[in-house]
Amino acid sequence: MNMTNIITGKDLVEAGLAPGRYFGKALKSANIVLAQGGTVEQAIEVARRYAPAPAMALKAEGDVVIHVNIEAEDELERANVEKVQETMRALVRTPVVKSAAIMPDACPAGPLGTIPVGGVVASEAIHPGMHSADICCSMAISVMPGVSPKELLDAVEAVTHFGPGGRSVGGRIAPSEAILESFRGNPFLRDLVELGIAHFATQGDGNHFAYVGSMKSTGETVLVTHHGSRAPGARLYKAGMAVAERFRQELSPETMKGNAWIPADTREGEQYWDALQIVRAWTKENHFKIHDLAAARVGAKVSDRFWNEHNFVFRKSDGLFYHGKGATPAFDGWAADATDLTIIPLNMAETILIVRGSDAANGLGFSPHGAGRNMSRSQHKRLYEGRTDAEIYAMETEGLDARFFSKVPDISELPSAYKNASAVRAQIARYGLAEVVDEVIPYGSIMAGAFERFGRRRR
């Protein structure tokens, strides 16, 4: 043991303490004890108080309840449901997880143990991997009476931006100064201000869309958009995963890397939670900026609007964090700006459901986010081998004004790529997850299209 008047990291190791992130605080406190006249033994004892608890072991199989709200209708669906349940059983062995639920539109989304799309997980901590890189993927609707659907779809196509990257420098649209100031004030986001500007008023690619239709109840024209937080959210996710990994190594090395967590009561947990709320605000503003640009282009007035996320983390009064990965909140007061209505899309050829959540215990207070997939994009493309993309596009979009921003259809995003919408809707009712109160009848939509094959189009 070092007999000088300073305790070192070597002294702590010799005393049986395992090296870790806590050593800095432990050494500082130990040396304060020495400086105040305490003994080396007393100083080491103070340092021990900073040592983390022993590593948390995985839970035993079957320890955590998984509420299953999905039924298989055919062989393809059965294989899908089996994989979803298998991955959820592995996930809930994570030590801090308390309960889980599977939605009717669930589908696998990665290696065994990865939260599936259509998964809900309640935990004592925040798991970046359980909200995924597309943080705050969400839906927004604006009602614009007196505008024709075609006129509105033309306007949206003229003002929105799909595809990889952000808008070109000359075409950028900045978010509000309040949002940018929030970015600057958060350590996870302060270096992402430029991305927050470049990617604002953009919608990305994949299954994101702008959909124009009419309300079944009134016939009024509406715009519905679907997208997440773009590059700012993806970068926040990456940073969050890095922090969670450091805690995983210290707290529970047996836990899958994808299910690592950030303890909520730590400085990092508080900062990450704050960053999630800021990115949520950016995403909401992003949706409605696109809506407002389209409305201004056609001189329309917005008579009503609301929105909801379906890739996010929510904290309930029980203190737990509820991770919805492709799951729509269906409990009262899920956010300060929550209305009693949420939005569930199905596919471009189907109505969009306007629902009122029922806070069903078997859904942990959530409902589905859409129709989900039973197969990968490559599997879906193989269904139509021998047919040209033009033939497939014409067959699947008959009667719709279906557009692709890249001017090249993405066949893997056409209706047959998704689960049976009627079955998903029936299971929403069967399991009491939400009540359908209105619908949006489709006129047409815009999606990114096949950018990866034909380059990008930017403005």
Side-chain angles (χ1 to χ4, degrees):
M1 174 65 67
N2 179 9
M3 301 307 292
T4 68
N5 60 349
I6 295 178
I7 300 292
T8 67
K10 181 180 178 182
D11 296 326
L12 297 186
V13 172
E14 289 179 354
L17 293 173
R21 298 190 321 138
Y22 69 96
F23 259 34
K25 291 181 179 179
L27 288 169
K28 182 178 179 181
S29 295
N31 283 303
I32 288 174
V33 171
L34 283 185
Q36 293 175 344
T39 66
V40 169
E41 290 73 16
Q42 289 171 331
I44 294 295
E45 190 57 36
V46 168
R48 289 186 191 280
R49 299 173 188 172
Y50 290 89
M56 301 171 71
L58 297 180
K59 292 185 175 182
E61 292 185 14
D63 276 0
V64 174
V65 173
I66 302 172
H67 301 278
V68 179
N69 303 283
I70 186 171
E71 295 179 13
E73 297 200 323
D74 54 36
E75 194 59 40
L76 188 62
E77 181 77 4
R78 273 189 287 277
N80 175 81
V81 172
E82 287 173 5
K83 288 179 182 177
V84 166
Q85 294 191 66
E86 182 184 17
T87 198
M88 209 53 131
R89 286 193 295 270
L91 180 152
V92 298
R93 298 189 65 194
T94 304
V96 290
V97 166
K98 295 299 183 182
S99 57
I102 298 170
M103 296 290 106
D105 59 339
C107 56
L112 183 66
T114 303
I115 187 172
V117 174
V120 181
V121 174
S123 174
E124 296 175 355
I126 305 168
H127 303 257
M130 294 187 193
H131 60 53
S132 80
D134 197 9
I135 298 175
C136 204
C137 189
S138 45
M139 305 294 305
I141 184 170
S142 290
V143 182
M144 302 184 197
V147 179
S148 75
K150 182 181 185 307
E151 185 182 15
L152 182 55
L153 191 61
D154 288 344
V156 177
E157 186 174 25
V159 301
T160 194
H161 178 283
F162 283 92
R167 290 178 180 258
S168 58
V169 175
R172 290 180 179 176
I173 301 168
S176 67
E177 184 56 34
I179 293 289
L180 295 178
E181 192 59 32
S182 295
F183 269 57
R184 297 184 188 106
N186 183 278
F188 281 99
L189 301 175
R190 62 169 59 114
D191 294 332
L192 306 182
V193 172
E194 288 304 312
L195 279 178
I197 296 172
H199 284 246
F200 192 66
T202 72
Q203 296 193 248
D205 51 16
N207 65 353
H208 298 150
F209 60 74
Y211 173 114
V212 171
S214 56
M215 295 299 296
K216 185 176 181 179
S217 59
T218 65
E220 294 173 319
T221 300
V222 299
L223 168 62
V224 183
T225 49
H226 173 217
H227 63 73
S229 51
R230 307 288 287 112
R235 291 281 289 275
L236 173 60
Y237 161 80
K238 183 178 181 180
M241 288 297 289
V243 171
E245 173 60 14
R246 293 199 296 271
F247 279 109
R248 186 192 71 86
Q249 293 178 9
E250 179 180 307
L251 301 175
S252 181
E254 288 185 305
T255 290
M256 281 183 53
K257 288 186 177 182
N259 294 331
W261 69 84
I262 304 175
D265 58 357
T266 61
R267 175 177 55 86
E268 295 93 333
E270 292 171 355
Q271 292 172 345
Y272 191 74
W273 179 253
D274 182 55
L276 287 174
Q277 311 317 308
I278 295 167
V279 163
R280 179 184 188 274
W282 182 95
T283 307
K284 179 181 180 180
E285 194 170 293
N286 191 28
H287 274 288
F288 289 129
K289 171 55 71 172
I290 294 169
H291 291 216
D292 289 343
L293 289 170
R297 191 173 181 89
V298 294
K301 300 291 184 182
V302 175
S303 64
D304 191 19
R305 65 176 25 163
F306 56 92
W307 88 303
N308 64 267
E309 58 269 63
H310 51 229
N311 264 27
F312 205 61
V313 188
F314 306 84
R315 192 168 196 177
K316 291 190 182 182
S317 58
D318 61 8
L320 297 179
F321 293 88
Y322 287 74
H323 302 71
K325 166 79 175 293
T328 301
F331 57 94
D332 290 340
W334 48 267
D337 59 355
T339 69
D340 65 334
L341 300 178
T342 52
I343 308 161
I344 301 178
L346 296 169
N347 64 60
M348 68 169 65
E350 296 286 340
T351 63
I352 289 177
L353 307 180
I354 308 299
V355 308
R356 182 174 289 113
S358 58
D359 195 13
N362 52 287
L364 298 184
F366 286 76
S367 63
H369 87 306
R373 290 176 176 269
N374 275 336
M375 65 189 83
S376 69
R377 296 176 192 276
S378 57
Q379 285 176 311
H380 173 256
K381 288 180 179 179
R382 287 197 291 270
L383 290 178
Y384 288 112
E385 285 181 343
R387 296 187 181 183
T388 67
D389 284 2
E391 290 172 336
I392 300 167
Y393 168 77
M395 177 180 64
E396 293 225 24
T397 63
E398 184 177 2
L400 298 173
D401 188 347
R403 309 179 187 182
F404 292 91
F405 196 75
S406 66
K407 306 303 182 185
V408 181
D410 181 352
I411 302 305
S412 70
E413 287 299 336
L414 294 176
S416 65
Y418 289 87
K419 293 189 178 189
N420 183 295
S422 297
V424 171
R425 182 168 178 169
Q427 290 177 39
I428 291 173
R430 186 174 306 140
Y431 291 104
L433 302 174
E435 173 195 5
V436 178
V437 298
D438 209 341
E439 301 173 45
V440 182
I441 310 300
Y443 165 77
S445 59
I446 307 167
M447 301 186 79
F451 276 91
E452 73 281 2
R453 290 170 52 198
F454 296 91
R456 68 176 63 180
R457 169 187 170 190
R458 301 182 66 187
R459 63 158 73 98

